[in-house]
């Protein structure tokens, strides 16, 4: 009985052990399968991570390339900016590319004028008017113009440059005119060649906008026959209505030199093409040579110059024997000095000019001297002119003269002028108002046989509205 019990217990233990072994094997296999699946998932994640890492590396390379491109563009922009600053181009200029500059600008100028008798200071009785006046009415006028300018400029790295300037004008009479039209080239702060229509160096500066209405204040029709003449070294300066300029200029330290050549119809200098009582016959164009030597150091500057027509027999008249009499000899000499400390002291600075000019022309010698001072937007000046006319044809003059050639034309002209600037009208930058006035008096010698017996006077006032854009 006991043996049967042992057998039964033993058999049960064997069966239980086998079942347990079988269950253990099944559990291990499941765990192995799970581990294998986890390994596969880990391998997949590793592959995905590697793919993402490759993509990230590629993106980083692209970012690096973009950063390098951005740095290169930044360097190029900085170089272009430095180039433009070197050329001192205005902030509003239109930049075509790194080495080109195109500038559009304008100047609006309108005047309200009131002046005494029309015409200029006279030294001759040119009509039967008892007062010997060229006009007997006061002149009230509204005039002005709008200038629109376009400047082009190109500069190379070596400092060589070329450019142009054109300045059309539209005036209140409905006409289109032209101020400057010039082409230039050269090397910066070294030398320059300029050709076209423009004005050369100013040898008789009058300071800020000044109203003076008499002969001698424009580029053409400077000389009105029989009237007072204020010579200002402008005959060969330029902006002629009948010719053009060619100018060479050079910088050398504190010195500046220019040689301007003006080729034009020389008789255009005279109103009505009349000089000393004779009608002029233009044979050929004149050529003015106008060398200027200027020096500037800190606040002080000075310049000396001359201008001379080098073409003989350019214009003249026929005498009673039919012989051609040359009237084209005109040699001028001038000097000017300027003190200007407004750069260091813009609110309380002073600009002072002292100028003199002398003309040796056919049958005439003229001397002019002027001084003017600008302080705190207020300007005042004085101009003295002495005319000595050696010969004059009085056949067409309404004058009763016993000895017309004894003293045909010695007289002095005294002019006082003043100007005041009111800036930033209505708090608008570059919108200014200039108030100006002048008075001119002609004083003839007592023995002048054909001059006005009474001192001739001219005076006027002006309000000028000026706007730059």
């Amino acid at each position: 009985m006991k043996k049967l019990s042992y057998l039964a217990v033993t058999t049960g233990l064997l069966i239980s052990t086998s079942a347990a072994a079988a269950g253990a094997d099944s559990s291990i296999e499941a765990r192995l399968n799970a581990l294998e699946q986890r390994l596969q998932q880990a391998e997949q994640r590793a592959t995905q991570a590697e793919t993402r890492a490759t993509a990230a590396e590629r993106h980083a390379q692209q970012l690096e390339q973009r950063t390098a491109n951005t740095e290169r563009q930044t360097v190029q922009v900085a170089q272009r900016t430095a180039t433009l600053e070197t050329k001192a181009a205005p902030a509003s200029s239109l930049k075509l590319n790194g080495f080109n500059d195109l500038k559009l600008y304008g100047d609006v100028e309108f005047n309200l004028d009131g002046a005494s008798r029309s015409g200029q200071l006279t030294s001759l009785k040119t009509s039967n008017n008892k007062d010997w006046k060229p006009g007997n009415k006061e002149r009230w006028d509204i005039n002005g113009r709008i200038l629109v300018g376009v400047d082009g400029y190109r500069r190379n790295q070596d400092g060589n440059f070329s450019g142009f300037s054109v300045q059309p004008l539209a005036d209140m009479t409905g006409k289109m005119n032209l101020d400057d039209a010039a082409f230039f080239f050269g090397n910066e702060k070294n030398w320059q060649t300029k050709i076209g229509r423009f004005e050369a160096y100013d040898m008789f500066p009058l300071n800020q906008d000044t109203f003076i209405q008499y002969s001698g204040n424009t580029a053409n029709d400077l000389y009105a026959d029989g009237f007072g003449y204020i010579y200002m070294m402008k005959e060969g300066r330029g902006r002629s209505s009948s010719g053009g300029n060619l100018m060479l200029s050079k910088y050398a330290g504190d010195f500046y030199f220019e040689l301007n050549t003006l080729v034009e119809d020389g008789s255009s200098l005279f109103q009505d093409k009349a000089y000393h009582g004779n009608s002029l016959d233009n044979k050929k164009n004149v050529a003015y040579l106008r060398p200027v030597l200027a020096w500037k150091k800190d606040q002080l500057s000075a310049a000396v110059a001359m201008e001379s027509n080098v073409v003989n027999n350019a214009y003249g008249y026929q005498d009673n024997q039919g012989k051609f009499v040359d009237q084209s000899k005109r040699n001028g000499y001038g000097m000017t000095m300027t003190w200007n400390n407004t750069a260091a002291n813009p609110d309380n600075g002073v600009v002072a000019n002292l100028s003199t000019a002398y003309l040796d022309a056919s049958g005439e010698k003229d001397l002019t001297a002027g001084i003017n001072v600008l302080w705190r937007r207020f300007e005042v000046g004085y101009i003295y002119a002495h005319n000595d006319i050696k010969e004059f044809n009085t056949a067409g003059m309404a004058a009763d003269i016993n000895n017309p050639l004894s003293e045909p034309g010695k007289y002095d002209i005294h002019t006082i002028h003043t100007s005041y600037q009111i800036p930033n009208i209505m708090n608008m930058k570059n919108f200014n108002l200039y108030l100006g006035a002048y008075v001119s008096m002609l004083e003839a010698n007592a023995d002048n046989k054909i001059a006005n017996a009474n001192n001739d006077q001219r005076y006027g006032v002006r309000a000028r509205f000026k706007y730059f854009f």
Side-chain angles (χ1 to χ4, degrees), residues 276-344:
H276 293 172
N278 299 292
S279 297
L280 295 176
D281 180 15
N282 187 69
K283 297 290 187 181
K284 49 191 173 182
N285 283 347
V286 300
Y288 279 95
L289 296 183
R290 190 177 189 266
V292 177
L293 178 62
W295 170 85
K296 186 178 186 304
K297 186 70 173 180
D298 299 327
Q299 293 87 9
L300 182 64
S301 62
V304 293
M306 71 169 293
E307 57 185 9
S308 176
N309 169 38
V310 296
V311 178
N312 294 326
N313 298 313
Y315 54 83
Y317 66 93
Q318 303 288 334
D319 63 12
N320 294 331
Q321 288 76 35
K323 180 181 178 181
F324 181 78
V325 180
D326 182 20
Q327 296 286 279
S328 59
K329 172 194 172 184
R330 301 189 75 82
N331 299 317
Y333 312 89
M335 182 274 294
T336 184
M337 297 180 63
T338 300
W339 170 267
N340 186 345
N341 68 340
T342 55

Side-chain angles (χ1 to χ4, degrees), residues 201-207 233 292-305 334-341 350-357 368-374:
Y201 197 95
D202 188 0
M203 287 298 299
F204 214 102
L206 296 179
N207 240 318
M233 283 288 294
V292 177
L293 178 62
W295 170 85
K296 186 178 186 304
K297 186 70 173 180
D298 299 327
Q299 293 87 9
L300 182 64
S301 62
V304 293
M335 182 274 294
T336 184
M337 297 180 63
T338 300
W339 170 267
N340 186 345
N341 68 340
V350 174
V351 181
N353 296 303
L354 173 64
S355 305
T356 184
T368 308
I371 185 171
N372 52 72
V373 178
L374 172 66

Side-chain angles (χ1 to χ4, degrees), residues 401 403-411 444-451:
I401 303 170
N403 187 4
L405 297 182
S406 60
E407 289 288 341
K410 280 190 177 182
Y411 48 87
N445 292 352
D447 56 353
N448 192 317
K449 302 299 182 181
I450 61 176

Side-chain angles (χ1 to χ4, degrees), residues 240 242-246 261-266 285-288:
S240 170
S242 62
N245 300 36
L246 173 63
T261 302
L262 173 64
V263 179
E264 65 171 353
D265 175 357
N285 283 347
V286 300
Y288 279 95

Side-chain angles (χ1 to χ4, degrees), residues 20-205:
D25 292 339
S26 175
S27 176
I28 291 172
E29 185 176 358
R31 290 179 181 178
L32 290 175
N33 290 334
L35 288 174
E36 185 176 2
Q37 289 177 358
R38 291 178 181 176
L39 288 174
Q40 290 176 353
Q41 292 174 355
E43 186 176 357
Q44 290 176 356
R45 287 196 296 270
T47 302
Q48 292 174 355
E50 184 178 0
T51 302
R52 286 196 296 270
T54 302
E57 183 178 1
R58 186 164 54 249
H59 185 62
Q61 291 176 351
Q62 292 175 352
L63 288 176
E64 185 176 358
Q65 291 176 352
R66 291 178 183 176
T67 301
N69 292 335
T70 301
E71 290 178 353
R72 283 196 299 269
Q73 292 174 359
T74 302
V75 172
Q76 292 174 355
V77 170
Q79 291 175 347
R80 293 176 182 177
T81 302
T83 301
L84 292 174
E85 289 178 351
T86 301
K87 296 189 299 181
S92 59
S93 61
L94 175 63
K95 306 172 185 64
L96 297 180
N97 55 50
F99 299 98
N100 291 273
D101 180 25
L102 185 65
K103 182 173 67 173
L104 176 67
Y105 56 94
D107 175 1
V108 179
E109 183 178 284
F110 285 97
N111 307 314
L112 306 178
D113 294 345
S116 60
R117 301 182 305 269
S118 61
Q120 298 153 314
L121 293 168
T122 183
S123 63
L124 296 176
K125 184 179 178 181
T126 57
S127 70
N128 287 320
N129 185 290
K130 64 179 180 179
D131 295 326
W132 295 27
K133 301 171 184 176
N136 56 9
K137 295 182 180 180
E138 293 183 347
R139 182 175 64 83
W140 299 90
D141 189 19
I142 298 178
N143 57 81
R145 85 292 185 281
I146 297 177
L147 178 150
V148 178
V150 179
D151 291 355
Y153 191 90
R154 178 165 186 171
R155 177 187 183 276
N156 292 337
Q157 294 294 334
D158 56 4
N160 292 335
F161 68 92
S162 64
F164 70 91
S165 178
V166 59
Q167 298 174 342
L169 292 173
D171 61 31
M172 289 185 61
T173 63
K175 296 180 180 179
M176 290 297 300
N177 296 301
L178 190 65
D179 210 13
D180 284 1
F183 172 71
F184 51 87
F185 59 91
N187 187 271
E188 289 179 333
K189 284 299 180 181
N190 188 2
W191 63 272
Q192 177 182 273
T193 298
K194 192 173 186 178
I195 185 170
R197 174 186 167 86
F198 56 89
E199 284 188 319
Y201 197 95
D202 188 0
M203 287 298 299
F204 214 102

Side-chain angles (χ1 to χ4, degrees), residues 268-279:
S268 66
L269 175 67
F270 309 93
Q271 288 188 15
D272 302 322
K273 294 184 182 290
Y275 185 51
H276 293 172
N278 299 292
S279 297

